[in-house]
Amino acid sequence: MRFRTYQKGGFLPVALAALCMLYSNVMFGNVMAPLQVGLQAPEEGFQFGSEAEISLSVWIPAVGDNEASSVELTLNASGVARISGQKRWVINKPPIGEPYRVTAGVRIEGPGQGEWVLEAASFNAGGERLWGAAATLYVLQTSDDILH
């Protein structure tokens, strides 16, 4: 096995410096998304065929000049997951720096897998879309249990 050696000021220090710069910018960047969403399953869990409420939240951090004048939330379902109530919310003048929560009525129909997807979009006063975010809550109904 042959090893190459490099003299001071050669290739190795330059390569190490470039790697450190790349690594620090990519791996340690501290970027806060200007729109965050979340879905939370009920604490008591789901019962097959019964109505339940999931908690939906949106949060706009207080960072810089936030132009968001409205946020639109849309809840979609697939597989055995169903929505039994409202599927869309428009929040005018959303609170900046604190979460905004709503609940949605849902149920699970039959064994299998499914998901609820919450999509959020923020808009400025002119109606132009600023940012988007999404979160997913998965569910698996087996003959013995419901996993989420």
Side-chain angles (χ1 to χ4, degrees):
M1 180 178 277
R2 293 181 63 177
F3 294 94
R4 283 193 155 165
T5 59
Y6 295 94
Q7 293 181 349
K8 185 177 180 181
F11 173 77
L12 189 58
V14 173
L16 282 174
L19 258 167
C20 288
M21 287 173 47
L22 177 65
Y23 190 74
S24 67
N25 286 334
V26 173
M27 299 303 289
F28 297 111
N30 188 9
V31 177
M32 182 177 287
L35 182 65
Q36 298 178 8
V37 295
L39 286 160
Q40 186 173 356
E43 287 185 23
E44 65 276 3
F46 295 100
Q47 299 296 322
F48 173 67
S50 298
E51 296 286 321
E53 284 192 343
I54 59 175
S55 176
L56 317 174
S57 62
V58 62
W59 181 61
I60 301 171
V63 178
D65 294 335
N66 201 315
E67 301 177 35
S69 66
S70 69
V71 174
E72 185 178 298
L73 299 175
T74 306
L75 183 63
N76 296 300
S78 65
V80 297
R82 300 286 186 265
I83 303 168
S84 55
Q86 189 172 347
K87 299 178 183 181
R88 185 174 175 271
W89 297 262
V90 176
I91 305 156
N92 292 310
K93 297 183 183 175
I96 306 296
E98 58 186 72
Y100 184 89
R101 291 182 178 85
V102 296
T103 57
V106 298
R107 66 183 185 286
I108 299 171
E109 289 203 356
Q113 61 187 11
E115 65 184 26
W116 291 281
V117 178
L118 175 62
E119 297 174 342
S122 62
F123 298 90
N124 66 14
E128 296 170 321
R129 184 178 170 144
L130 298 173
W131 298 97
T136 303
L137 177 61
Y138 297 96
V139 65
L140 174 62
Q141 164 77 39
T142 65
S143 57
D144 298 331
D145 200 4
I146 299 176
L147 305 174
H148 54 82

